[in-house]
Amino acid sequence: AVFIKRAQAVMRTSRASMAAVIAMLGLALLPAATQAILTPRADALVLRRGRGSLEEAANLYSKALEQHAGDVELKLKLADALNGVMRVRTNGNSIAIDRMLDNAENKAIWAKYGPRALELAREVRDALPKDVRAAHVFADAYMFSSSSKGIITQALQGAATVFVTNAELILALDEKYDSGVGHALLGCFYAVAPWPFGSLDTSSKQLEMAVKIAPTQRNLYFSGVVAFKRKEWEKAAERFRGAQVAKPGSLTESDFSDFMLDESTKALTLVEAELKTCAAKGTRR
């Protein structure tokens, strides 16, 4: 109790992180004190989001887990925070109208954080097989970790089947969870996966189900990207306009909200040009 009060006092009078405070005080923490101080601070940082907050949260959860190695909730929180770091730094490994995001820089980030996130998430999923959050954290960790070796390469080496199974488990546990994230994951997968897995038609259907569940920024943006790829210009314009004003439906969506806004704005300019061309030619839009 004395230690906790001293740590909190230092936090109030300095800008140091909790990890720095512990070092400054130079005290060894008992396991109970470790969790009592570190976990609430990390929880608050997770809610704040942003790269720095999520990285510090992951560091604090990791330190707490050192004293509570079997704590399933801590493992889940750490894996989730690591996923958040990767999501923020690589724009969610999202889809775009003109490129894939598995570039060298993003692959390095996924390779750095992905294996640890996946290890923890697998342990949690195995311990909590009916928990939809655990299923989602595992699905994201698997996606990031496998993408570090290249999305297309991994899909052709068997990751595609696992990815689909992961998303379908989320849907089976709770279709509406995180604004239909299971459908969003499948929609993105089918939009970028190579033959024989990829299908823009299947992708469109999955994303329509996500939009029907919740017209959030993520779902509208993803749907707009696929409509663009299918040259459904009117639909693409509607969805990108929607993505410009819609709010993120969850913390995970907010991690790459700015990216989706920028990409929607850029894509809408191109779509509007296509609509003008169609109008001039009197062709279908």
Side-chain angles (χ1 to χ4, degrees):
V2 173
F3 179 88
I4 292 174
K5 289 181 179 179
R6 290 181 65 187
Q8 290 173 337
V10 176
M11 285 293 294
R12 285 195 296 269
T13 58
S14 76
R15 300 184 63 181
S17 68
M18 180 60 75
V21 170
I22 294 168
M24 288 163 58
L25 293 177
L27 297 174
L29 289 178
L30 295 174
T34 302
Q35 192 160 3
I37 295 176
L38 301 186
T39 303
R41 172 64 175 163
D43 292 345
L45 288 166
V46 166
L47 293 177
R48 188 183 300 173
R49 308 311 281 183
R51 173 181 173 179
S53 294
L54 288 166
E55 286 179 342
E56 185 177 352
N59 183 46
L60 295 175
Y61 286 138
S62 182
K63 289 182 180 298
L65 193 60
E66 290 175 3
Q67 300 291 334
H68 301 271
D71 192 314
V72 174
E73 182 66 19
L74 273 177
K75 290 179 181 179
L76 178 60
K77 289 181 175 183
L78 176 53
D80 197 19
L82 292 172
N83 283 347
V85 172
M86 292 185 281
R87 197 179 296 111
V88 168
R89 294 186 63 182
T90 66
N91 295 313
N93 194 12
S94 182
I95 56 175
I97 61 170
D98 55 359
R99 67 197 186 283
M100 296 177 69
L101 300 190
D102 60 340
N103 53 51
E105 182 180 356
N106 286 350
K107 285 180 181 178
I109 293 169
W110 298 328
K112 179 179 179 179
Y113 297 100
R116 177 59 170 158
L118 182 59
E119 175 190 15
L120 292 164
R122 179 176 284 111
E123 292 175 4
V124 175
R125 182 205 59 179
D126 292 346
L128 305 171
K130 300 298 183 181
D131 188 293
V132 67
R133 183 186 174 199
H136 182 205
V137 170
F138 178 79
D140 275 0
Y142 183 86
M143 179 264 292
F144 287 128
S145 183
S146 62
S147 294
S148 68
K149 301 174 184 177
I151 295 172
I152 293 178
T153 299
Q154 287 298 288
L156 294 174
Q157 293 181 354
T161 301
V162 179
F163 187 92
V164 170
T165 299
N166 292 341
E168 289 178 340
L169 177 59
I170 296 172
L171 293 174
L173 293 172
D174 184 354
E175 184 182 17
K176 296 182 180 180
Y177 178 78
D178 197 354
S179 303
V181 69
H183 290 301
L185 288 171
L186 288 174
C188 288
F189 168 78
Y190 288 116
V192 301
W195 183 90
F197 305 104
S199 167
L200 289 178
D201 289 345
T202 303
S203 173
S204 180
K205 291 176 183 176
Q206 288 292 333
L207 294 173
E208 281 302 302
M209 287 187 274
V211 170
K212 184 176 180 180
I213 289 172
T216 64
Q217 184 185 37
R218 178 198 66 206
N219 294 344
L220 291 167
Y221 168 71
F222 287 171
S223 179
V225 170
V226 174
F228 184 98
K229 291 177 178 291
R230 299 179 79 200
K231 299 184 178 181
E232 298 174 327
W233 306 125
E234 290 183 341
K235 178 179 178 181
E238 175 191 341
R239 294 300 163 83
F240 286 133
R241 290 190 187 107
Q244 289 179 322
V245 298
K247 301 297 183 183
S250 65
L251 292 176
T252 60
E253 286 191 42
S254 71
D255 287 338
F256 59 111
S257 177
D258 289 345
F259 170 83
M260 292 187 286
L261 179 58
D262 291 343
E263 290 293 310
S264 294
T265 301
K266 178 180 71 175
L268 185 57
T269 299
L270 299 175
V271 170
E272 289 174 340
E274 291 289 350
L275 286 171
K276 289 180 180 178
T277 299
C278 291
K281 294 180 179 179
T283 56
R284 223 172 137 253
R285 296 184 288 177

